Amino acid sequence: MGRIATALVVIAATITLTALVRAAPENVLKKLVPVEATKDLELPAGRVNSEQVEQGRYLVALLGCASCHTDGALVGKPDPAMTLAGSRVGIAYSSPMVNEFPGAVYPGNLTPHRETGLGTWSEDDIVDMLRSGRNRHGRQTLSIMPWTSYGQLSDADARAIARYLKSLPPVEHRVPARVMPGQPTRTPLVHVGLYHRP
Ligand code: HEC
């Protein structure tokens, strides 16, 4: 290889490396801290005393719904008054290596509060959501909400979960709306590594 060609390769490599270093948002990565997982969340009993509701409560515990849908649980500090009533801690859905401010989603309030929870959802709406990830307005939920696995629930199990959720005492608690990548969030965020293309 001639000298000029070698020099050109070195220059090109330097430019590429610099571009990569510039693209990594160092300030965001420095702020990433590991958090303790939440264990042993006590789920409220349903207001209806039936075997089906108790089965729903058992499945909700087994499938870990409260570990995301409880305020503070994502950062290891669950608020017992907000169990299953939604999280004001967001989950990032784009990589901090790509967007300095990742997009954020907030696990919603699953108690039957009319304005801030699932009060206007029917049991069928909840069953459909668990199976297909589509909410009652037809919007596709991101797979951070693990509907791709929950799609395998039997009819009876999905129905039991819906009945348990509808039997919970309603808790008034509105979670923030989804934040698009590139916009700063006003809330803490956790990263679970399941990133979607923005
Ligand atoms: C890993 C975290 C996680 C777990 C576990 C989880 N969810 Fe979710 N869920 C989410 C997120 C995040 C959203 C919002 C997604 C979006 O807006 O795209 C959501 C949305 C929902 C919604 C729609 C709420 C609304 O107001 O639109 C329902 C219903 C729901 N989840 C029920 C459940 C149930 C029932 C379980 C357990 C069987 C469960 N979720 C487990 C993260 C989770």
Side-chain angles (χ1 to χ4, degrees):
M1 209 189 284
R3 264 201 214 153
I4 294 184
T6 314
L8 283 178
V9 169
V10 171
I11 291 169
T14 315
I15 292 173
T16 313
L17 270 181
T18 318
L20 285 178
V21 171
R22 288 237 172 99
E26 255 179 88
N27 52 341
V28 171
L29 295 182
K30 273 190 195 143
K31 281 190 252 161
L32 295 180
V33 283
V35 291
E36 278 290 313
T38 291
K39 299 176 208 91
D40 302 332
L41 260 173
E42 180 70 30
L43 298 184
R47 288 176 297 171
V48 179
N49 188 3
S50 77
E51 227 172 83
Q52 197 186 22
V53 165
E54 214 18 66
Q55 171 73 0
R57 182 178 180 217
Y58 163 77
L59 288 165
V60 165
L62 189 68
L63 298 172
C65 318
S67 61
C68 288
H69 285 272
T70 298
D71 207 22
L74 286 165
V75 289
K77 297 189 184 87
D79 175 350
M82 290 293 160
T83 307
L84 294 171
S87 171
R88 300 182 64 82
V89 176
I91 303 180
Y93 67 89
S94 65
S95 165
M97 298 293 284
V98 178
N99 304 108
E100 180 174 3
F101 297 112
V105 268
Y106 297 84
N109 181 348
L110 303 183
T111 75
H113 189 267
R114 271 196 87 76
E115 284 80 37
T116 63
L118 302 183
T120 55
W121 290 46
S122 66
E123 282 181 13
D124 283 345
D125 291 335
I126 298 175
V127 169
D128 283 351
M129 163 75 202
L130 288 173
R131 292 270 175 68
S132 67
R134 270 188 305 280
N135 74 11
R136 63 187 281 272
H137 308 293
R139 200 190 70 176
Q140 187 65 52
T141 306
L142 296 179
S143 59
I144 291 174
M145 159 66 204
W147 57 267
T148 45
S149 325
Y150 299 159
Q152 297 171 45
L153 284 165
S154 70
D155 286 346
D157 286 350
R159 179 72 45 193
I161 292 175
R163 197 147 289 183
Y164 167 65
L165 294 178
K166 292 297 281 182
S167 82
L168 286 171
V171 176
E172 182 171 1
H173 185 228
R174 193 180 294 282
V175 304
R178 191 190 285 197
V179 176
M180 297 305 284
Q183 311 262 315
T185 52
R186 294 203 202 122
T187 63
L189 275 189
V190 294
H191 295 259
V192 293
L194 285 169
Y195 297 126
H196 296 255
R197 275 170 205 278

